[in-house]
Amino acid sequence: MSLSDSRIFCVIALVLGSSVSVYITTLDGPMPRPPDLPLVEAFVPVLIDAPGRVQNVYIKEAQQVRAGDLLVQIDTRSLLLKKYALESQVHSAELRITNGHAHLSGVYRELEQIRLDLGSLTITSPIDGQIAYLVPLVPGQTLPAGTAIAVIYPRKRP
């Protein structure tokens, strides 16, 4: 590399360094404000607690809902059959009360769990608001536990 080549290289490096310095200095100035958007934390996801098959969908996207409104019903037939079988076991054991106490406590626990599971298969709105997004759901579709089926934007209080 000759002396003139190294001088040209130094001049180019100084010009580029100055340009970068000026560019970085202008970044410290005021930045334009982003548009006012609703906070993401305000959105409330609706999750399925227990796995099941979709029986009915009662809502549409952009629909207004109130807390407790029915959104989706998951098929409860298999749990109801199990519940009826356990209830008949309870009635049978109560008729033969002699040594059925240990067996009955286990059946009662199982019945209580089925009641809790049945409650989690009726999906209701947790808040007043508007359905901001709804996953396309089809009756008969199987959903695993933990599936997010909708997002609700809370209704603003007056």
Side-chain angles (χ1 to χ4, degrees):
M1 187 183 278
S2 70
L3 186 58
S4 64
D5 289 340
S6 60
R7 285 183 185 163
I8 292 173
F9 179 76
C10 285
V11 169
I12 291 173
L14 284 173
V15 169
L16 283 175
S18 299
S19 299
V20 169
S21 175
V22 168
Y23 178 75
I24 291 174
T25 304
T26 60
L27 286 180
D28 290 338
M31 298 294 286
R33 260 189 63 193
D36 290 329
L37 296 174
L39 296 174
V40 173
E41 295 102 30
F43 290 96
V44 176
V46 178
L47 304 173
I48 303 252
D49 292 332
R53 192 176 302 272
V54 175
Q55 186 173 356
N56 285 317
V57 180
Y58 298 100
I59 55 169
K60 295 178 186 151
E61 203 163 295
Q63 180 178 334
Q64 294 290 326
V65 293
R66 301 191 72 181
D69 282 356
L70 184 59
L71 305 178
V72 176
Q73 179 64 55
I74 304 296
D75 191 2
T76 59
R77 288 179 287 193
S78 62
L79 277 177
L80 286 173
L81 288 173
K82 190 173 180 181
K83 177 183 172 227
Y84 298 145
L86 287 172
E87 286 172 344
S88 69
Q89 284 181 22
V90 167
H91 295 303
S92 174
E94 285 174 345
L95 291 175
R96 298 175 281 114
I97 198 73
T98 56
N99 61 357
H101 288 296
H103 175 70
L104 270 177
S105 64
V107 174
Y108 282 131
R109 277 194 301 275
E110 210 172 333
L111 264 174
E112 185 57 31
Q113 185 59 50
I114 287 176
R115 285 189 186 110
L116 292 172
D117 290 346
L118 283 169
S120 69
L121 294 178
T122 300
I123 313 303
T124 58
S125 176
I127 60 169
D128 293 350
Q130 181 178 10
I131 304 295
Y133 177 75
L134 177 65
V135 172
L137 297 171
V138 179
Q141 177 181 0
T142 301
L143 299 172
T147 302
I149 60 161
V151 176
I152 300 175
Y153 186 70
R155 182 175 298 140
K156 293 181 180 170
R157 303 282 181 212

